[in-house]
Amino acid sequence: MASLQERLDEFRKSFESGAPPYNAPRQVIETMHRATAELKATGIEERALRVGDRAPGFTLFNQAHAQVASADLLRQGPLVVSFFRGHW
């Protein structure tokens, strides 16, 4: 089985080829590359959590718009956080 990095690399190659199923136009890919470069230039990568780092506690709204605290969820077991961009 391919590693996660290998799978991500393959996805990127496929997406950036402009071929189906993504059909990403060249200007979209260039915009994404420019935005990525701008983010990297801010130094955000050096401030990001690394694998194995403990995330700080937080409170967020869930899909039902109720506040949920990470500490409460961790008392129930391991916690996975997923960011959903919403419906378009």
Side-chain angles (χ1 to χ4, degrees), residues 21-88:
Y22 308 108
N23 304 312
R26 176 62 28 206
Q27 64 269 25
V28 169
I29 295 166
E30 290 169 0
T31 299
M32 291 173 63
H33 283 242
R34 191 170 42 256
T36 300
E38 289 171 4
L39 279 172
K40 287 182 175 187
T42 69
I44 196 169
E45 285 182 297
E46 290 76 37
R47 297 188 310 270
L49 294 175
R50 304 280 186 246
V51 172
D53 287 351
R54 185 174 292 269
F58 57 86
T59 301
L60 295 172
F61 289 96
N62 67 12
Q63 70 277 8
H65 303 287
Q67 280 194 328
V68 180
S70 59
D72 294 338
L73 295 171
L74 284 167
R75 282 192 278 281
Q76 300 173 35
L79 174 60
V80 174
V81 179
S82 175
F83 294 93
F84 177 67
R85 291 180 55 178
H87 299 290
W88 294 97

